[in-house]
Amino acid sequence: DGDAAARARADGLRELDPGCGEVLRSRTFGYVQVIDFQALAELAAEHDLRLACTRRAGHYVVEGGELLRLDRAPSAELAS
């Protein structure tokens, strides 16, 4: 939903410079089905992170392909 995506961006999902930060990679291959922008915004706020989605719903990703870019490495708790 476009409104949820706009709210999520306003709540902490910001643009990051390409090539900076930490990358969250796919554990498998396939099409991105759904992205819960509200949950991502809440996680970003809770852990004081900025993140950018680098794939959208409908995109095909390979194993090890980039999904998200974070402004810094996440805590061990979040990384698991």
Side-chain angles (χ1 to χ4, degrees):
D1 155 85
D3 290 336
R7 283 192 305 277
R9 283 190 293 277
D11 289 339
L13 302 183
R14 307 263 192 268
E15 287 294 317
L16 296 176
D17 293 329
C20 80
E22 296 289 318
V23 174
L24 176 71
R25 297 188 179 281
S26 175
R27 294 181 182 165
T28 187
F29 61 91
Y31 289 93
V32 177
Q33 299 292 310
V34 174
I35 300 171
D36 188 341
F37 288 104
Q38 187 62 42
L40 288 173
E42 290 170 8
L43 274 173
E46 182 180 331
H47 295 276
D48 194 29
L49 290 169
R50 288 183 11 190
L51 59 87
C53 294
T54 56
R55 299 294 176 263
R56 295 189 307 241
H59 279 179
Y60 185 83
V61 293
V62 296
E63 184 176 350
E66 184 175 312
L67 295 171
L68 294 171
R69 188 166 289 276
L70 307 168
D71 64 344
R72 60 183 164 75
S75 66
E77 172 192 359
L78 184 60
S80 64

